[in-house]
Amino acid sequence: MDAFLLPALICLAAAVIAVPLAARLGLGSVLGYLAAGIAIGPALGLVGAEVEDIRHVAEFGVVLMLFLIGLELEPKVLWRMRTRLVGLGGLQVTLTTLAIMAAAIPALGLGWEQALAVGLVFALSSTAIVLQTLSEKGLMPTNGGRASFSVLLAQDIAVIPMLVALPLLVAAPKARIAPDGSVVRPALEAAQPPHGAEHLSLVAGLPGWGVALVTLGAVAVVILAGHYLIRPVFRFVSMAHLREMYTALALLLVIGIAVLMGMVGLSPALGTFLAGVVLADSEFRHDLEGNIEPFKGLLLGLFFITVGAGIDFQVLLADPLGIFALALGVMVIKGLVLAALGRLFRLKGRDRWLFTLGLAQAGEFGFVILGLAVQQDVLSERLTQTLLLVIALTMLMTPLFFFVYEMVSRRLSVAGIGPDHAPDEIDERNPILIAGIGRFGQVVQRMLQMSGFRATMLDDDLATINLMRKFGIKGFFGNPTRPETLMAAGLGTAQVFVVALDDPAATTRVVIFARRVRPDLTIIARARDRAHAYELYRAGADKIVRELFDSSLRVARYSLEAMGLSTTEARERESAYYDFDRRMVRELADLWKPGVPAERNEGYLRRARELNGELDTALLSRTAHRRATDPAPRPSPEETPPDSSIAPADAPEDFADRA
């Protein structure tokens, strides 16, 4: 037990230290786990061969990951994405595999089987790094971001046949003559398990047709059980009213399918992925995800740590230039394939650059495939160590490639080259201009329309624009952060400018520009949080609306009513808190310092504590004043539904001004 617990303790401690640091630096958790493994293994020598015991346990994280991927892929969603999945994603995997295979045969002196395995390893990209980076930089809604996501999804699905096909690439050894003169067939010899290593199998000794029938039967059992058995089992377990029973059932499901697949000679990952797809549209999908996600994340993290700990840096020191050249060569080959596919599928400008540079690295699934390739004797241990280093280096260079994309994107913007869809010609001028028509901007537009006012709506999300047009709501496609687009939309003549963008930094830039060119304009801006409200206050916004402030107040009001307060009393407290918070924000805005965390701003902290102490007094004095001036209770307006977004009837006239 100690031989397992001590290395596990060291691995977990290294992860707790390295992963938050990597996330803080924007490198992603996968690189953090790899760095932790490198630190405790090759660098400090804290773990050695005993880390293999942890790897055997951690490899089950791959099975859990593929089950969760299956849960995310509803059959109808896969069908809608079939063109990009099969076309763009399938071509990327196939062409990249063949290109790297063709380069590996002469460069590494490999046979076609080993070269194909290498091609499969490097055909995949890092889902974790790319998706995290696209989300952080707000690039997911772009055409390049959506194309990248489609390819990553296709790669995740392609891992399944890769894991199944990899053992088939083992070169069959030749027959030999034994000392007694008999002919020994190594393939048959290898098929016999050593003494004491027998395992339960449902296909051992069966003819080929029998193996096929049993295998198909096992797959059918998984599908039928997912459709007809899981629901009653979940209902039975729910009778215990114990949360841990749901976790136990989720693990039982995954482990049971993995064991069944192993008994019929299939990959456990294949079976669990299939089960995930079957359960993707069930009502228990989110319960399964919530119960399995922590185990998947931890086991995968340990798996990457063991990969990092097992890297032989003597290989890197022996030929650093050669390994760096291999890493760059892989990224160049993948980049050329991606660029060609981007042109074929009509990605232009910045979208094609994002698609090409964002997916040029190798991915975390490459570690999984390499581990299986070594176990199956497809690749040698020495070559595997080299390939592990190449994968890690390409992943480490990914932030640099995104930096190159940002430089290219800025130059294309200066040159006037935009996305692959030209901005619309704005043919109308209205007194109200709205930048951003997501969920926030749509509510604003609908209320204005209901009141008889017309607004010009701008957004750079073409899918949202087209969806709005199907419902008869006209919007214009264009980048609302670019000055020329705003001026073309009528910023110079508008009376009201509503900035409802998702990106806080872009919102601030737009407010600064609008205030500079139109000092007389009424600017109403959406704020992410209190700190962002301070920025917008200094940028010149007239009215600032925090995203969740109104809804939070209404939840608090409903809670007070549920506790026995009358509707009038609850509204009084809501209105009192609103007035106090608005005054508090305006006072603290003068003390707020850009770039300085609030907890390090002594003047801000001192005044915030003083104002918090005044909250109860302000509430009592407001209530007493209301009762003295209007002692008769006012009935609540029954025509206002509980979930209405209309402001309380007794709110001040500028109720929407909630900074």
Side-chain angles (χ1 to χ4, degrees), residues 348-364:
K348 299 179 181 179
R350 287 173 287 180
D351 290 317
R352 190 192 303 165
W353 280 100
L354 175 61
F355 180 70
T356 301
L357 297 175
L359 298 176
Q361 78 291 122
E364 52 271 5

Side-chain angles (χ1 to χ4, degrees), residues 557-578:
R557 190 182 84 216
Y558 296 154
S559 301
L560 292 174
E561 293 175 2
M563 293 303 296
L565 272 68
S566 68
T567 302
T568 300
E569 291 173 326
R571 287 178 182 275
E572 285 178 353
R573 282 162 173 75
E574 179 189 17
S575 183
Y577 180 82
Y578 155 66

Side-chain angles (χ1 to χ4, degrees), residues 185-195 197-199:
R185 299 180 183 274
L188 299 177
E189 186 180 70
Q192 302 297 324
H195 179 71
E198 295 86 357
H199 64 279

Side-chain angles (χ1 to χ4, degrees), residues 29-226:
S29 60
V30 175
L31 293 181
Y33 284 121
L34 289 174
I38 292 171
I40 64 176
L44 300 178
L46 299 178
V47 295
E50 66 274 12
V51 81
E52 289 298 320
D53 296 331
I54 299 176
R55 177 178 294 183
H56 294 318
V57 177
E59 284 173 352
F60 189 66
V62 179
V63 175
L64 295 177
M65 176 170 58
L66 291 170
F67 178 72
L68 291 177
I69 290 173
L71 282 177
E72 295 294 334
L73 302 178
E74 296 183 42
K76 58 184 179 182
V77 175
L78 290 176
W79 180 252
R80 286 200 300 266
M81 298 179 62
R82 63 189 182 278
T83 301
R84 283 200 167 184
L85 285 177
V86 178
L88 185 58
L91 283 174
Q92 186 276 326
V93 173
T94 302
L95 295 179
T96 304
T97 299
L98 294 176
I100 293 181
M101 174 185 173
I105 292 176
L108 301 177
L110 302 177
W112 73 266
E113 299 95 340
Q114 290 75 30
L116 178 57
V118 173
L120 294 175
V121 168
F122 290 116
L124 306 175
S125 304
S126 176
T127 302
I129 293 177
V130 175
L131 289 186
Q132 179 180 348
T133 306
L134 291 176
S135 300
E136 289 176 353
K137 296 181 179 296
L139 297 171
M140 188 62 76
T142 65
N143 283 333
R146 287 192 289 266
S148 300
F149 175 77
S150 298
V151 169
L152 290 172
L153 183 56
Q155 291 177 357
D156 290 343
I157 297 174
V159 169
I160 307 299
M162 288 182 185
L163 294 176
V164 174
L166 199 61
L168 304 178
L169 298 179
V170 180
K174 298 179 180 180
R176 58 184 174 82
I177 304 297
D180 60 358
S182 61
V183 177
V184 178
R185 299 180 183 274
L188 299 177
E189 186 180 70
Q192 302 297 324
H195 179 71
E198 295 86 357
H199 64 279
L200 183 61
S201 173
L202 297 178
V203 296
L206 294 179
W209 62 267
V211 172
L213 285 179
V214 172
T215 302
L216 291 175
V219 173
V221 166
V222 172
I223 296 175
L224 293 175

Side-chain angles (χ1 to χ4, degrees), residues 511-534:
V511 170
I512 291 174
F513 169 76
R515 179 55 67 210
R516 186 172 68 249
V517 300
R518 285 288 309 279
D520 61 324
L521 181 65
T522 299
I523 302 176
I524 306 172
R526 166 188 179 182
R528 173 66 57 85
D529 49 28
R530 189 181 292 261
H532 188 213
Y534 298 151

Side-chain angles (χ1 to χ4, degrees), residues 494-628:
Q495 300 176 29
V496 177
F497 182 30
V498 179
V499 187
L501 301 174
D502 290 330
D503 186 354
T507 300
T508 304
R509 291 196 304 270
V510 169
V511 170
I512 291 174
F513 169 76
R515 179 55 67 210
R516 186 172 68 249
V517 300
R518 285 288 309 279
D520 61 324
L521 181 65
T522 299
I523 302 176
I524 306 172
R526 166 188 179 182
R528 173 66 57 85
D529 49 28
R530 189 181 292 261
H532 188 213
Y534 298 151
E535 292 182 8
L536 295 174
Y537 176 78
R538 296 195 175 186
D542 295 289
K543 296 184 183 295
I544 305 166
V545 183
R546 275 182 281 161
E547 291 177 350
L548 301 178
F549 188 72
D550 285 349
S551 54
S552 301
L553 278 182
R554 292 178 58 213
V555 169
R557 190 182 84 216
Y558 296 154
S559 301
L560 292 174
E561 293 175 2
M563 293 303 296
L565 272 68
S566 68
T567 302
T568 300
E569 291 173 326
R571 287 178 182 275
E572 285 178 353
R573 282 162 173 75
E574 179 189 17
S575 183
Y577 180 82
Y578 155 66
D579 288 339
F580 179 83
D581 186 84
R582 183 173 59 174
R583 179 172 65 87
M584 182 178 180
V585 169
R586 286 179 175 172
E587 284 195 34
L588 293 177
D590 295 328
L591 299 173
W592 177 75
K593 298 178 181 178
V596 178
E599 63 271 15
R600 297 182 184 177
N601 186 335
E602 290 298 329
Y604 181 95
L605 277 178
R606 183 168 52 254
R607 185 53 183 156
R609 285 194 294 265
E610 293 173 355
L611 289 170
N612 283 331
E614 297 174 8
L615 179 59
D616 292 337
T617 304
L619 178 60
L620 291 174
S621 61
R622 172 69 175 265
T623 304
H625 176 72
R626 280 289 181 88
R627 289 176 177 173

Side-chain angles (χ1 to χ4, degrees), residues 131-310:
L131 289 186
Q132 179 180 348
T133 306
L134 291 176
S135 300
E136 289 176 353
K137 296 181 179 296
L139 297 171
M140 188 62 76
T142 65
N143 283 333
R146 287 192 289 266
S148 300
F149 175 77
S150 298
V151 169
L152 290 172
L153 183 56
Q155 291 177 357
D156 290 343
I157 297 174
V159 169
I160 307 299
M162 288 182 185
L163 294 176
V164 174
L166 199 61
L168 304 178
L169 298 179
V170 180
K174 298 179 180 180
R176 58 184 174 82
I177 304 297
D180 60 358
S182 61
V183 177
V184 178
R185 299 180 183 274
L188 299 177
E189 186 180 70
Q192 302 297 324
H195 179 71
E198 295 86 357
H199 64 279
L200 183 61
S201 173
L202 297 178
V203 296
L206 294 179
W209 62 267
V211 172
L213 285 179
V214 172
T215 302
L216 291 175
V219 173
V221 166
V222 172
I223 296 175
L224 293 175
H227 274 294
Y228 300 107
L229 186 61
I230 295 301
R231 288 174 174 83
V233 171
F234 258 95
R235 295 189 187 101
F236 174 77
V237 170
S238 65
M239 295 169 58
H241 300 292
L242 294 173
R243 183 66 188 174
E244 59 269 23
M245 286 297 99
Y246 290 101
T247 304
L249 177 58
L251 291 175
L252 173 65
L253 176 66
V254 176
I255 295 174
I257 294 172
V259 171
L260 176 62
M261 291 297 104
M263 291 169 64
V264 298
L266 292 179
S267 165
L270 174 63
T272 52
F273 174 81
L274 178 62
V277 173
V278 172
L279 296 171
D281 58 353
S282 73
E283 63 269 33
F284 305 108
R285 164 189 164 186
H286 297 294
D287 278 334
L288 290 169
E289 286 179 336
N291 288 314
I292 291 178
E293 183 69 36
F295 294 96
K296 184 270 295 184
L298 180 60
L299 291 175
L300 267 186
L302 288 176
F303 175 78
F304 292 136
I305 288 177
T306 60
V307 169

